[in-house]
Structure formats: C-alpha cells, structure tokens
Amino acid sequence: MSVQEYLDKHMLSRKIEDAVNAAVRAKASDPVLFISNHMRKSIPSVITKIKARQILDSRGIPTVEVDLHSNKGMFRASVPSGSATGMYEAVELRDGDKGKYLGNSVTRAVKNINEKISEALIGMDPTLQSQIDQAMIDLDKTEKKGELGANAILAVSIAACKAGAAEKEVPLYKHIADLFGKRNLTLPVPAFTVISGGAHAGNYLAIQEIMILPTGASKFEEALQMGSETYHHLKAVITEKCGAHGCNVGEDGGFAPNISSLKEGLDLVKEAISRTGYNDRIKIAIDAAASAFCIGTKYDLDFKSPNKSGQNFKSGEDMIEMYKGLCAEFPIVSIEDPFDKEDWEHVKYFSSLGLCQVVGNDFLMSNLKRIERAIHESSCNALVLKVNQIGTITEAVEAVKLAKDAHWGVVMSHRCGETEDSFIADLSVGLATGQIKAGAPCRGERLAKYNQLLRIEEELGDQAVYAGDDWKLT
C-alpha cells in the first residue's frame, strides 16, 4: 500500500487539515502539541486491553485489581471485601486452596478477567457503562455472579467507569451523576468510626461500631477537622479511663477499649465531643450488626465475653427498650442493623417509632429484591450501599434510585477489607447519598476516601454543597 493509499483509506489528510486549521484558529503557542491533542480527541475511545492481578487488602487478604486501557490511558480499580458474605449478596470468587493464603487467593477471578471478560469487552465504548455491565452479567449467567465472581466483575466495572469519565473529559463524580440521571452533586456527611467492637475488634463489646457525624459543619473540610479532633480527644479520654492499651484499634481504625456495654462506649464518645466544644454540631450513629449476636430469637450481648453470666440475653422487645433509652440519653440519629437480618417484625416496629434513621446493611445486603420488600413492608428507612455486595456500578445506581424514590436515606460504605482505591468517594458525591462511612479518620486506606472528598470539594469551589443538617437527603 502506497503512502497516498494509506492516507486515503484512513481519511488522514482531511483529519490533519482540520487539526491544523483548529490550531491556527486557537493561535496555539505549541501547534504540534495542540494538533496531537486534537487528533486524539477526534478518535472515539474504546477499551483496548484489560489486565488483572491479585493484590492484598488492608487485612493482608487477597483481592482483585484491574488495569483497563483505552485510547485515553490506563485506569486502575481494586475491590474491597467484607468480613463475611451474606446469602443474599453477590458471590466473591476465591480459590479455596488452603495451601495458599489460607484458601483466600483470587487467582480464579483474575483468570476470568484476563481470559473471559477481557475478550468480551475489548472494543467497547467505556462511556456505555450499562452495556459493559450487562455484557459481564450475560457472560456470567448466574443470579449472584458466582461463575466469574462478583469481585472480578466489579473491578472491571469500576475501572470502566473511570475510563468513561476520562473519555468524556469530566471528573469521575460528574460522570457518575450523569449515569444516575441527576446533577445535584453533594458532599456527604462522614460517619467516622471512633469505637470498634463486634467482629471488628478484640474487646468484649457486642455492637460493631460507634460513629460520629459532624452534621453541624459548614463544609466537608470542616467536618473532617471536627472528626479528627474528636478522635484524638477520644484517645485521651480512653487513656485516662482505660489505660493506653485501650487505644488499640479495630479493623476500621476505631479504638477498641476493653468495655462490655454500649453505654460505656457512648459515655466515652460523649465526653470526647464535650472536650472539643462542638457539642450539638456532632451527632452519634451506631452499627449494631445484631445478626452477629442473635441466637434464635434472642440477642446475646455477652457473646464475646469468656465469662458469660447468661443474664444478658435480650428479646427483640428488650432491644427496642434499650435503643429507646439510649436515643433519649445520647444524640443518636442513626442505628444500623439493630436486629437480625431476618427479624423483619422488630425492624419494622422500631422504624415506625421514628426515633432515628434505621439502616439496613446485613438486613438488605444491597440486594434489589430485599430493598423492594423492605420498601413495601416499611421496614427500615435507609440503605447501606456496598458496591461489592451487588457487583456492578449500574446495579448500584439502580439500588440508590430505589431507595431515594422511597424517600430513604443512603449510606455509602467501605468494607473492613479495604484498598487505597478512593472510588466510593466520587460515587457518594455523584449519587448524592448524603452520608458516607469509610472508617476512622486514620489509616491510609480509610483516609484515601476522605482525602478524595477534600479534593472534590476544592475542585467544585463555590459550587460545592455539603449535606450537613440535610444528611438524610431523602
């Protein structure tokens, strides 16, 4: 093929002429760079390569990382993992070989990306998120993504979302807002973990975590400052009352003092807030994760104690009375999973009391069918969104739409096994969730999310809106 034939085949003469004319009109100081960028923009971007690997999460347990390449560059994503997988959530594919990482390797999921998913997606437009996600769902063919693995599918879905934003030349959070179909970008109120218990810490505290929400901040930057200062005041309070060993931290970075009752923990947090002087500007949230200590129809608040007295078993009605008392004494505005994941009766009744936001985590598992049922039965009034429980960005967007149409609150959430990927920060802003829990204001994998929110707020400038007192954003 001659040079002229090559130019004619690809219509390069016309494209180059257009680029030169554009450079002249723009009076470009560096015409070569301008023409190069102009030519790059004139070519629709497609996915050209997908490469996955096994990395370690914040607990030292394997997870999946993906590099997705397009004409615009390389886009990396990694997926988090929880401490347990519920029966209603998408399936996380692990190898099961006890000789490698105690059975937790994800080389099968990685292989599925490199061999099956990659072949199916190469050549697709990264801006078409729903088509990309549907192609992987169709390739998997199972209800809970058990063939390819939700960890494999989600990693590619997130990477494609980042590539789509780059193709449109907009920030990631704006691209996500476009996918959501709304433009009300909002910086969420952070729910900082300050005391850890349950499955996340080695103390005797049954409930999983106590969090603080700086609802009275004027912007996210101030909220982060308020959270950090309270966290450090709490460290001093715990040191005074429990000794320095009480300042060991759990998996999410919350302190894990050797306390056994929820009220003890709340007293410590209340004292720390008082020392900051913020008082009414900071509210408290609880993640009970009650499924972890539910035995039959009873709740064992001593389930972690080596010297069980047998006197701390509570019925659902007892738990309701306990929560009512705590809400009256402390500024508690949200309780997550106050009852077992199958205890629909007590969740529904407690929600009807209107004492606080009642959040479904294990209760819903980001499962669309569970969310629909809870909406229909008026059980709970807020959703915890964990993208790895659902498996694709498209389905995560659908879950948030369901919740918001029902006038629910939405809490964007990390997992105990996190990576340094800050994606959920942009997702929270783009979907205007109003709330985000990413752990304590310490540890790199947690701060990656909070620091990204700082950058987004700075980038939005005068357009930045912090949820603040409207944190439910229903």
Side-chain angles (χ1 to χ4, degrees), residues 41 147 157 211 260 277 314 324 341 393 428 449 472:
K41 292 177 183 178
E147 180 67 26
S157 183
M211 296 164 281
S260 57
K314 293 186 179 294
K324 286 169 67 175
K341 62 181 178 292
I393 301 308
S428 180
K449 286 70 169 169
K472 289 186 182 180

Side-chain angles (χ1 to χ4, degrees), residues 17 32 90 96 153 211 227 230 285:
E17 182 181 350
V32 174
I153 292 173
M211 296 164 281
T230 305

Side-chain angles (χ1 to χ4, degrees), residues 382-410:
L383 164 71
V384 164
L385 182 68
K386 295 178 174 178
V387 287
N388 76 307
Q389 289 183 329
I390 197 164
T392 66
I393 301 308
T394 300
E395 290 166 296
V397 170
E398 290 174 5
V400 172
K401 284 180 178 178
L402 263 179
K404 284 184 171 288
D405 286 347
H407 305 291
W408 279 18
V410 179

Side-chain angles (χ1 to χ4, degrees), residues 326-378:
L326 293 174
C327 286
E329 185 175 355
F330 299 95
I332 296 171
V333 295
S334 180
I335 300 180
E336 182 178 327
D337 285 341
F339 303 95
D340 179 64
K341 62 181 178 292
E342 299 299 344
D343 193 347
W344 290 78
E345 176 187 353
H346 288 109
V347 174
K348 181 176 181 178
Y349 177 72
F350 185 61
S351 298
S352 72
L353 297 178
L355 296 174
C356 63
Q357 175 178 258
V358 181
V359 191
N361 179 6
D362 294 336
F363 185 65
L364 299 173
M365 298 182 194
S366 303
N367 181 289
L368 295 177
K369 292 180 180 178
R370 299 274 291 189
I371 296 169
E372 288 173 345
R373 178 184 171 185
I375 291 170
H376 178 71
E377 297 186 13
S378 299

Side-chain angles (χ1 to χ4, degrees), residues 177-472:
D178 288 342
L179 297 176
F180 189 41
K182 297 184 179 180
R183 301 297 177 89
N184 56 328
L185 302 171
T186 308
L187 275 297
V189 171
F192 296 111
T193 302
V194 290
I195 289 185
S196 295
H200 290 180
N203 54 11
Y204 297 151
L205 185 61
I207 68 102
Q208 189 158 283
E209 58 188 336
I210 299 173
M211 296 164 281
I212 55 170
L213 284 73
T215 57
S218 59
K219 57 183 182 177
F220 182 83
E221 181 182 17
E222 184 184 19
L224 186 59
Q225 176 184 331
M226 292 167 69
S228 175
E229 291 174 0
T230 305
Y231 183 80
H232 288 285
H233 275 292
L234 180 59
K235 182 177 182 179
V237 172
I238 292 173
T239 300
E240 292 168 13
K241 299 189 177 183
C242 306
H245 63 277
C247 295
N248 292 331
V249 299
E251 289 183 337
D252 299 344
F255 296 117
N258 198 16
I259 55 177
S260 57
S261 80
L262 177 53
K263 187 178 184 304
E264 283 183 80
L266 291 168
D267 281 331
L268 294 172
V269 173
K270 186 177 181 180
E271 172 63 21
I273 294 172
S274 177
R275 292 189 185 187
T276 66
Y278 294 126
N279 299 319
D280 293 342
R281 298 176 68 197
I282 293 180
K283 304 302 182 184
I284 295 176
I286 297 167
D287 178 4
S291 293
F293 53 88
C294 181
I295 302 174
T297 60
K298 298 286 187 179
Y299 294 89
D300 182 9
L301 294 178
D302 276 341
F303 86 106
K304 295 172 68 177
S305 173
N307 302 311
K308 292 185 179 181
S309 65
Q311 297 177 351
N312 213 6
F313 279 90
K314 293 186 179 294
S315 66
E317 291 74 17
D318 293 334
M319 294 291 287
I320 288 174
E321 291 305 311
M322 180 186 78
Y323 292 137
K324 286 169 67 175
L326 293 174
C327 286
E329 185 175 355
F330 299 95
I332 296 171
V333 295
S334 180
I335 300 180
E336 182 178 327
D337 285 341
F339 303 95
D340 179 64
K341 62 181 178 292
E342 299 299 344
D343 193 347
W344 290 78
E345 176 187 353
H346 288 109
V347 174
K348 181 176 181 178
Y349 177 72
F350 185 61
S351 298
S352 72
L353 297 178
L355 296 174
C356 63
Q357 175 178 258
V358 181
V359 191
N361 179 6
D362 294 336
F363 185 65
L364 299 173
M365 298 182 194
S366 303
N367 181 289
L368 295 177
K369 292 180 180 178
R370 299 274 291 189
I371 296 169
E372 288 173 345
R373 178 184 171 185
I375 291 170
H376 178 71
E377 297 186 13
S378 299
S379 298
C380 75
N381 50 38
L383 164 71
V384 164
L385 182 68
K386 295 178 174 178
V387 287
N388 76 307
Q389 289 183 329
I390 197 164
T392 66
I393 301 308
T394 300
E395 290 166 296
V397 170
E398 290 174 5
V400 172
K401 284 180 178 178
L402 263 179
K404 284 184 171 288
D405 286 347
H407 305 291
W408 279 18
V410 179
V411 185
M412 185 62 62
S413 179
H414 65 155
R415 301 307 309 267
C416 64
E418 263 299 336
T419 73
E420 60 270 30
D421 194 325
S422 63
F423 178 77
I424 64 168
D426 287 81
L427 190 61
S428 180
V429 174
L431 299 182
T433 63
Q435 305 169 63
I436 186 170
K437 51 183 290 189
C442 76
R443 298 183 54 147
E445 75 280 359
R446 316 293 157 181
L447 290 172
K449 286 70 169 169
Y450 297 134
N451 288 338
Q452 175 63 3
L453 288 166
L454 282 177
R455 299 181 194 105
I456 293 172
E457 185 170 64
E458 180 183 80
E459 186 173 273
L460 287 171
D462 294 340
Q463 303 298 312
V465 176
Y466 174 62
D469 289 330
D470 295 324
W471 53 277
K472 289 186 182 180

Side-chain angles (χ1 to χ4, degrees), residues 133-145:
D133 290 340
Q134 191 60 52
M136 291 189 285
I137 291 170
D138 293 343
L139 187 63
D140 181 90
K141 297 186 178 70
T142 67
E143 182 180 358
K144 297 195 290 185
K145 303 176 179 66

